[in-house]
Amino acid sequence: MRTLVVGAGTTGTFLAYCLAVRGVPVVLAERRTLGNAGARWINGVERDLLTSLQLPEAPSGLVFHDGGRFILSTPDGAHRVTVAEPPQVELDMRVLGQWLLDLARDAGAQVRERTRVDIGPADGGSREVSLNGRAERFDVVLDARGYHDGTLRELPEEDRLPFTPVLDVCAAHQGVYRVRDADAARAWLAENGIFPGDTWCRSGVEGGYSVLNCCLDHDGDRIAVLTGSMWRDAYRPGGTIAGDFVRRHAFIGKRLFGGGRLIPLAPPTGSLVEDHLVRVGDAAGQVFPLHGSGIAQGMRAADLAANAVAAALQIGDTTARGLWGYNVAWQRNTGALDAFHQPLRQLSSSLTTDENRVLLAHGLLGPSTVEASLAQRLPSLDPGALLGAAMGLGEVLPLVPRLAAAARLARAMHSHWRGFPGRGPKGEYVSWLARARSLTEKSQALALSGDGDGSLPFGTGDGVAGSSAP
Ligand SMILES: Cc1cc2nc3c(=O)[nH]c(=O)nc-3n(C[C@H](O)[C@H](O)[C@H](O)COP(=O)(O)OP(=O)(O)OC[C@H]3O[C@@H](n4cnc5c(N)ncnc54)[C@H](O)[C@@H]3O)c2cc1C
């Protein structure tokens, strides 16, 4: 009875811990050195994440930043929405990674670094893998390799959902920089109505679905800069946006740490399991679509996956059928939440900088919507939205057909994922997947809906009506 977790990012390391504490023998293999595995920057997560996962007391230095307001604005800062008490804290991922690794080792996980794993076929009741070229077999292999070159190529044809990198991947960068001149930094923020400790998120810097987000710490010593964009037209990727921002502000000094890479914003498959194989974290596209946050989702998925693997090993069935409980637990809950947000995310990537401004200026994106997004919850209509929309009717009206279509599709996708079949991979799952594909195609089409004459790429009643509201 052996399991292998591939990849020692946050998801894989926590997964190895979850399996080990359930008494499941586990090997955790990472192709890099452990000090270079996974995210090495600052990530915002829900404040109660670690306690909700029942982890022991966190080490000092884990929380990089807590407090301050979250301000979402147009690129020039003229229109803004303020969340006074954001439901997030910023964690230093280097500290989180080391802590999870210590916990996993203490619980009994075997850890191997500089070990590249290639996942082979299922055969004879187990899964074949190669570890640095040496063949081995495991009862269950858990793929936590993040989003990588082979992600799409390796997926089984029969489980695929439409996934197109230009529409479904964000290029992000995060860096923490030394501040050369704290007074100049404070003065620049004050000119923009921002205090040290606030997170200022400028949306639409390149057009729809692009951000430049900065936070000066309370002491004025360091500034955290997060940037990201889709691969559209002339959009610059996150690293280039960050480099340009730093060059234009002389008070920012050298980068202390950080990094960047691609974030998958959608699940590339309908099923998270195959025979003797489980996908978790970025490898499974378990990322909140509106802002590409994958830490909480990857850790929660790891917890669910460990439950399902422990149960499957106990009954002696680690085929897709035996592991299906993980699929159900994920898809009907967080999977449905993410599915709801896919059309909204695709629509947001189709917006021009000016259309983004209209949403902020007329209250269609208000504090409760922004707070729900930060907390990764379903949104409720902002009280000011209807009034704001009425006041700015001339500007809002051209956007209404696309907004309405995205909202209807969001409800349809949410209710479809809520109804994920209890058994698979045959039977009802096959028809569930066919409908999931068709809804996902419509959602992708929304991303292109702003490029032409503004008309919708499908009829508003075209297979998305009649779904029950979440
Ligand atoms: C700039 C940036 C900012 C972000 N900000 C936030 C945020 O504020 N909040 C948030 O929640 N999320 C954020 N995210 C997303 C978050 O960082 C990711 O969702 C998360 O790190 C994914 O973790 P993972 O363990 O699933 O994958 P990864 O971190 O990608 O880890 C995968 C690991 O697998 C290893 N690996 C790959 N292939 C192999 C192989 N063949 N054999 C062995 N090992 C292999 C890799 O070396 C890597 O260490 C951000 C992402 C970026 C890029």
Side-chain angles (χ1 to χ4, degrees), residues 90-112:
E90 301 283 330
L91 301 186
D92 186 330
M93 298 307 293
R94 301 166 305 169
V95 179
L96 181 66
Q98 185 57 53
W99 181 44
L100 294 177
L101 202 54
D102 293 343
L103 289 174
R105 279 195 172 117
D106 290 350
Q110 280 181 46
V111 183
R112 300 188 198 165

Side-chain angles (χ1 to χ4, degrees), residues 7 9-11 30-31 38 43-44 117 144 173 261 263 282 292-295:
T10 320
T11 306
E30 165 60 45
R31 69 173 173 183
N43 275 353
V117 179
H173 180 274
R261 61 160 187 253
I263 308 178
D282 276 21
S293 290
I295 298 301

Side-chain angles (χ1 to χ4, degrees), residues 6-12 29-32 37-39 41-45 115-117 144-147 172-174 226 259-261 263 280-282 287 292-296:
V6 190
T10 320
T11 306
E30 165 60 45
R31 69 173 173 183
R32 299 194 183 135
W41 44 83
I42 301 302
N43 275 353
V45 302
T115 304
R116 187 200 153 88
V117 179
R145 287 177 294 173
Y147 182 76
H173 180 274
Q174 206 281 332
L226 168 68
R261 61 160 187 253
I263 308 178
V280 192
D282 276 21
V287 168
S293 290
I295 298 301

